[in-house]
Amino acid sequence: MLGAARRILGNTEDAEDALQTGFLSAYRNVRRFEGRSKFSTWLTRIVINAAFMRRRRATGLRVTSLDAEHPESQLPLSERLQAEDHNPEQLFAHTELKEMIQSNVGQLSSPLLTAFVLCGIEEHSQEEAAKRLGITLTAMKARMFRARCKLAESLGPRLERQRTTT
């Protein structure tokens, strides 16, 4: 039965769908089986009719696989259609976290605040920030570590409350 449906439809996936549709139809109409032919013949005919119906509906429809292989210069359609932007939930969470950091950043000491602003907000590398401040890279890394720890310490309870309310 699957082979007959595959020959009609041209691929295994559609044939499997037609087979399932045919079996479901036969199950619903088993009372109509009159016994004038073998049960397998009756069932095969139902599956073949389901395959023809499926092909008739698909005529004129152009189907493009989202995961089909493309030349190396092109990405699969599924990857080309993915939005590069964050979804609204991610944007809101990012904005909320940013506001929380800004409200707590004032608690940092001046050296830690300066280090955090240069690397965390203005996105300078730690090497660049160390040169601008006239300190060693090791000192810059230590300041960034302490700034992050202090912010995490002050944000921790707020983030925990936020997680439990959502």
Side-chain angles (χ1 to χ4, degrees), residues 18-88:
L19 185 67
Q20 184 175 0
T21 302
F23 282 163
L24 186 59
S25 180
Y27 175 76
R28 288 182 181 151
N29 296 301
V30 75
R31 286 187 221 101
R32 292 186 183 173
F33 178 63
E34 298 172 354
R36 291 187 285 171
S37 63
K38 290 177 22 179
F39 184 76
S40 61
T41 305
W42 179 73
L43 189 57
T44 301
R45 189 70 229 168
I46 291 173
V47 170
I48 289 172
N49 286 342
F52 279 126
M53 297 273 292
R54 186 170 188 81
R55 189 175 78 181
R56 201 173 309 136
R57 275 188 303 233
T59 303
L61 294 178
R62 185 169 177 233
V63 179
T64 303
S65 172
L66 294 177
D67 298 316
E69 294 291 324
H70 296 282
E72 288 188 27
S73 62
Q74 266 190 334
L75 293 172
L77 184 60
S78 59
E79 291 180 27
R80 285 186 284 159
L81 296 178
Q82 284 180 344
E84 292 182 17
D85 298 335
H86 297 290
N87 66 35

Side-chain angles (χ1 to χ4, degrees), residues 6-7 16 20-21 34-35 38 40 65-66 75 89 93 95 100 105-106 108 114 121 133 146 152 154 164:
R6 191 180 309 120
R7 283 188 293 279
E16 288 171 348
Q20 184 175 0
T21 302
E34 298 172 354
K38 290 177 22 179
S40 61
S65 172
L66 294 177
L75 293 172
E89 186 177 345
T95 303
M100 289 170 67
V105 82
L108 297 175
T114 306
I121 297 173
L133 295 175
R146 287 197 310 264
S154 63
T164 56

Side-chain angles (χ1 to χ4, degrees), residues 128-146:
E128 292 173 15
K131 284 180 186 173
R132 290 182 92 179
L133 295 175
I135 59 175
T136 66
L137 179 59
T138 305
M140 185 65 200
K141 287 180 179 183
R143 287 182 185 183
M144 279 303 295
F145 177 77
R146 287 197 310 264

Side-chain angles (χ1 to χ4, degrees), residues 109-128:
S109 65
S110 182
L112 299 183
L113 176 62
T114 306
F116 185 77
V117 168
L118 286 173
C119 293
I121 297 173
E122 294 180 5
E123 298 181 354
H124 292 284
S125 70
Q126 289 185 353
E127 292 87 6
E128 292 173 15

